[in-house]
């Protein structure tokens, strides 16, 4: 007798990725570079977030051919993105056998009100969050892994830092709060009470929380680990730099040894140019991906 | 106090530490080769074996780990850790530490959607043991020197060879600490033997 798709199996899969780097790739060749560099998983996409931003229009689930090509190219887990609320894109990716689905604000949302009910699926999901309210709502919907939203495709770490600090600080508030204050906190943050209670008991989120959205250098990755991330997603940062192989390897090492400054200094030498990046105040409100869901 | 290390390059390190502490021993995260001298036993955790191997090579852990496995101090590999211990990997000309007389197949039960939980009987260690398998390998072939501790669906999923212990499942993800307890016993016995 065996059971698939349990919380332990889905959340456990994310636990195995801890301390690792998950890299965005758009073809088999990039996937192999990522695996060779020591990525713990790859995210198969049609375009990296920086190019999605530049292209405009509606961003959808990748062509299944690309996802399949990546799945055949590497032995590490393969993730893929579905639009927020797009039940069918998610089911298609599950049927293809992808290892994790990112219900992602990087793509144009299919539903502006509801997220996918993720606990109905055998495949695990990762979702973005900016605060404890979003984090716990996604977990209650069945997400087995979280990541900060940051601001994807900008190469600017400021939003990921904001979101990681916010979540960590709110966890500390909940842990230190007296039990009779918890319900009011739950109401104010739209956070499921039972999950807050569990966080208070255990002192941490019940699923892993990676950093994502703006990581462009080894020092950025190490910074996010120091702020409490369990691992990092690097989207445009690797294949939009002028030396992807070197960037990929250096970011992997900086994530493992995030408090070894001498090493991070060495890793950062002669890396070449990172992606150019975008300053937040130059982004128009409608181009802010993080505001696409709550 | 008995000190057991968990190789902390990548993977489910914190959970193993928690499981060791539940068994009343000290768990230490190992990130540097020098730290191997301070511990009585070592766990190679689950994670991504290709990532771990790259970091093992980068930080020159390979030889020290191989020597450690032969030193008489026990070593336990879970999931990716089992792949690290195995002499042969199905479909590959390369191995990692290559210290245990087994051939393993990676992701042998399939991709993540096929990951599962099942109840196992583990010889002399635990009956009705809830085992969590995540993109798990299994042992395809084991030499006579290897004792098979558990099978699932006819596949070898736990085994021991002297001071080497391996499981395809993840004892650190449940609150049943019996299998990790068995490893702790192995370490405590080896401490006595090595001291005498």
């Amino acid at each position: 007798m065996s059971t698939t798709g349990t919380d332990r199996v889905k959340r456990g899969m994310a636990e195995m990725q801890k301390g690792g780097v998950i890299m965005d790739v758009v073809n088999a060749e990039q996937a192999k570079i990522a695996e060779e560099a020591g990525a713990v998983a790859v995210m198969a996409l049609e375009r990296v977030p920086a190019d999605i931003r530049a292209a405009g229009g509606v961003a959808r689930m990748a062509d299944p051919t690309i996802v399949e090509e990546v799945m055949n190219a590497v032995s590490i887990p393969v993730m893929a993105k579905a639009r927020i609320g797009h039940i069918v894109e998610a089911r298609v990716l599950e049927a293809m056998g992808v290892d994790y689905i990112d219900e992602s604000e990087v793509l144009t949302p299919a539903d502006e009100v509801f997220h996918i009910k993720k606990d109905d699926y055998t495949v695990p999901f990762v979702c973005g969050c900016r605060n404890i309210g979003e984090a716990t709502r996604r977990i209650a919907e069945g997400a087995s892994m979280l990541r900060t939203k940051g601001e994807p495709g900008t190469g600017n770490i400021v939003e990921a830092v904001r979101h990681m600090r916010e979540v960590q600080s709110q966890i500390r508030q909940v842990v230190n709060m007296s039990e009779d204050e918890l319900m009011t906190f739950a109401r104010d943050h739209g956070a499921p009470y039972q999950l807050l209670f569990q966080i208070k008991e255990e002192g941490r989120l019940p699923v892993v929380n990676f950093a994502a959205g703006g990581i462009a250098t080894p020092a950025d990755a190490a910074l996010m680990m120091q702020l409490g991330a369990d691992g990092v997603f690097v989207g445009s940062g690797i294949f939009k730099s002028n030396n992807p192989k070197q960037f990929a390897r250096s970011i992997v090492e900086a994530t493992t040894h995030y408090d070894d400054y001498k090493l991070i200094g060495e890793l950062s030498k002669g890396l070449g140019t990172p992606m150019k990046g975008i300053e937040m105040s130059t982004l128009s409100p409608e181009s802010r991906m993080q505001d696409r869901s709550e | 106090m008995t000190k057991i290390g968990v190789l902390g390059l990548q993977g489910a390190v914190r959970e193993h530490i928690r499981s060791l502490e539940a068994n009343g021993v000290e768990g230490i995260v190992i990130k540097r080769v020098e730290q191997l001298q301070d511990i009585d036993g070592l766990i190679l955790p689950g994670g991504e074996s290709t990532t771990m191997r790259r970091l093992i090579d980068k930080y020159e852990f390979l030889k020290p780990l191989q020597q450690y496995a032969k030193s008489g101090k026990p070593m336990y590999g879970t999931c990716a850790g089992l792949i690290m211990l195995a002499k042969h990997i199905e479909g590959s000309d390369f191995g990692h530490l290559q210290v245990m007389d087994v051939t393993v197949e990676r992701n042998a039960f399939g991709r993540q959607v096929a990951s599962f939980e099942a109840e196992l009987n583990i010889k002399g260690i635990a009956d009705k043991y809830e085992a969590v398998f995540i993109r798990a390998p299994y042992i395809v072939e084991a030499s006579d020197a290897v004792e098979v501790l558990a099978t699932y669906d006819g596949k070898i999923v736990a085994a021991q060879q002297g001071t080497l212990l391996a499981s395809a499942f993840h004892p650190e993800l449940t609150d049943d600490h019996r299998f990790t307890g068995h490893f702790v016993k192995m370490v405590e016995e080896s401490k006595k033997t090595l001291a005498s």
Side-chain angles (χ1 to χ4, degrees):
Chain A
M1 249 295 284
S2 72
T3 328
T4 56
T6 62
D7 274 352
R8 277 203 296 220
V9 160
K10 293 198 283 189
R11 292 178 181 184
M13 159 76 195
E15 300 281 351
M16 297 309 138
Q17 305 263 292
K18 274 190 310 199
V21 182
I22 300 168
M23 301 180 192
D24 279 2
V25 300
V26 299
N27 55 41
E29 185 201 351
Q30 291 187 352
K32 281 183 181 148
I33 291 174
E35 183 176 47
E36 169 66 20
V40 289
V42 289
M43 177 79 70
L45 291 162
E46 208 155 303
R47 294 191 185 107
V48 294
D51 289 337
I52 290 176
R53 206 173 264 294
V58 175
R60 311 179 178 89
M61 171 183 83
D63 181 335
T65 324
I66 293 172
V67 180
E68 231 167 54
E69 180 189 315
V70 170
M71 285 169 69
N72 292 332
V74 294
S75 67
I76 54 177
V78 176
M79 301 186 170
K81 289 186 196 292
R83 280 180 270 179
I84 289 171
H86 206 308
I87 298 161
V88 172
E89 284 188 351
R91 285 292 183 195
V92 167
L93 292 171
E94 181 181 50
M96 289 178 65
V98 305
D99 296 297
Y100 237 94
I101 296 177
D102 185 359
E103 187 185 18
S104 178
E105 67 282 1
V106 168
L107 305 182
T108 313
D111 191 324
E112 292 186 331
V113 183
F114 302 108
H115 279 72
I116 297 171
K117 187 173 172 330
K118 295 167 275 287
D119 51 7
D120 286 344
Y121 292 67
T122 306
V123 67
F125 281 77
V126 55
C127 285
C129 65
R130 293 175 293 185
N131 51 53
I132 203 165
E134 289 185 350
T136 49
R137 288 196 293 278
R138 297 299 86 77
I139 296 169
E141 290 157 1
S144 308
M145 178 183 192
L146 295 169
R147 54 171 175 75
T148 58
K149 285 180 171 173
E151 190 54 44
T154 60
N156 188 340
I157 198 70
V158 67
E159 295 300 300
V161 167
R162 189 193 316 282
H163 302 158
M164 185 54 75
R165 278 202 182 272
E166 183 74 0
V167 170
Q168 297 291 347
S169 146
Q170 288 174 327
I171 290 171
R172 284 192 294 273
Q173 278 179 49
V174 166
V175 170
N176 293 320
M177 196 171 278
S178 83
E179 260 179 46
D180 56 7
E181 295 168 337
L182 207 55
M183 185 56 88
T184 301
F185 185 92
R187 181 201 62 196
D188 292 346
H189 293 82
Y193 177 82
Q194 288 304 334
L195 273 170
L196 289 181
F197 193 82
Q198 193 186 343
I199 290 167
K200 184 168 172 51
E201 295 272 287
E202 292 172 9
R204 59 181 180 87
L205 291 168
V207 302
V208 303
N209 187 18
F210 272 45
I215 294 157
T217 66
D220 286 349
L223 168 64
M224 294 314 298
M225 294 300 284
Q226 291 212 358
L227 292 177
D230 290 310
V232 300
F233 282 86
V234 186
S236 320
I238 289 170
F239 293 100
K240 283 284 155 192
S241 71
N242 70 357
N243 191 352
K245 267 186 198 172
Q246 202 53 39
F247 261 87
R249 286 176 172 226
S250 302
I251 288 178
V252 167
E253 284 175 45
T255 304
T256 305
H257 293 288
Y258 57 85
D259 52 3
D260 186 336
Y261 307 113
K262 216 174 138 193
L263 175 79
I264 297 168
E266 287 301 317
L267 293 170
S268 309
K269 278 185 191 163
L271 260 186
T273 320
M275 66 182 287
K276 181 160 179 272
I278 301 171
E279 208 283 305
M280 283 310 136
S281 62
T282 63
L283 273 185
S284 64
E286 59 277 10
S287 58
R288 281 165 62 91
M289 291 172 171
Q290 60 177 287
D291 298 334
R292 285 170 158 178
S293 71
E294 285 191 330
Chain B
M1 193 179 182
T2 300
K3 291 179 183 170
I4 298 182
V6 181
L7 188 66
L9 297 176
Q10 189 271 318
V13 178
R14 182 179 65 203
E15 290 68 24
H16 272 296
I17 300 280
R18 191 182 58 103
S19 190
L20 288 169
E21 286 168 354
N23 277 289
V25 296
E26 191 181 342
I28 299 171
V29 179
I30 305 294
K31 284 196 169 195
R32 305 260 165 234
V33 171
E34 315 83 80
Q35 293 177 280
L36 291 174
Q37 295 165 2
D38 306 333
I39 50 171
D40 305 305
L42 179 67
I43 294 177
L44 306 175
E48 284 307 318
S49 60
T50 46
T51 306
M52 272 186 219
R53 175 56 190 272
R54 223 196 87 64
L55 293 166
I56 280 173
D57 286 348
K58 178 77 197 180
Y59 299 107
E60 292 168 353
F61 256 108
L62 192 67
K63 281 234 167 75
L65 286 175
Q66 284 170 329
Q67 281 159 5
Y68 195 91
K70 287 169 187 159
S71 70
K73 291 185 180 176
M75 202 183 248
Y76 169 29
T78 56
C79 195
L82 157 61
I83 297 166
M84 302 311 295
L85 291 176
K87 227 163 225 172
H88 305 287
I89 300 168
E90 192 88 335
S92 167
D93 296 333
F94 302 97
H96 304 293
L97 304 189
Q98 299 188 289
V99 289
M100 196 169 181
D101 283 330
V102 296
T103 301
V104 293
E105 185 171 342
R106 295 181 62 202
N107 302 335
F109 294 99
R111 302 192 73 98
Q112 171 60 17
V113 285
S115 293
F116 63 99
E117 293 185 22
E119 203 175 87
L120 300 179
N121 289 326
I122 305 172
K123 202 168 131 191
I125 298 169
D127 274 347
K128 298 198 169 170
Y129 180 86
E130 278 177 51
V132 180
F133 293 84
I134 296 171
R135 286 170 48 94
Y138 59 68
I139 297 173
V140 184
E141 218 181 310
S143 83
D144 293 342
V146 176
E147 186 187 8
V148 174
L149 297 176
T151 59
Y152 171 76
D153 201 17
K155 317 290 196 306
I156 303 170
V157 293
Q160 186 172 344
Q161 179 179 9
T163 55
L164 302 175
L165 181 69
S167 71
F169 51 84
H170 292 279
E172 77 282 9
L173 292 184
T174 70
D175 292 324
D176 186 338
H177 300 298
R178 288 178 290 176
F179 198 77
T180 305
H182 172 69
F183 180 64
V184 170
K185 253 185 243 159
M186 284 169 61
V187 174
E188 280 167 349
E189 275 162 26
S190 92
K191 247 179 108 176
K192 278 183 216 151
T193 319
L194 292 171
S196 63

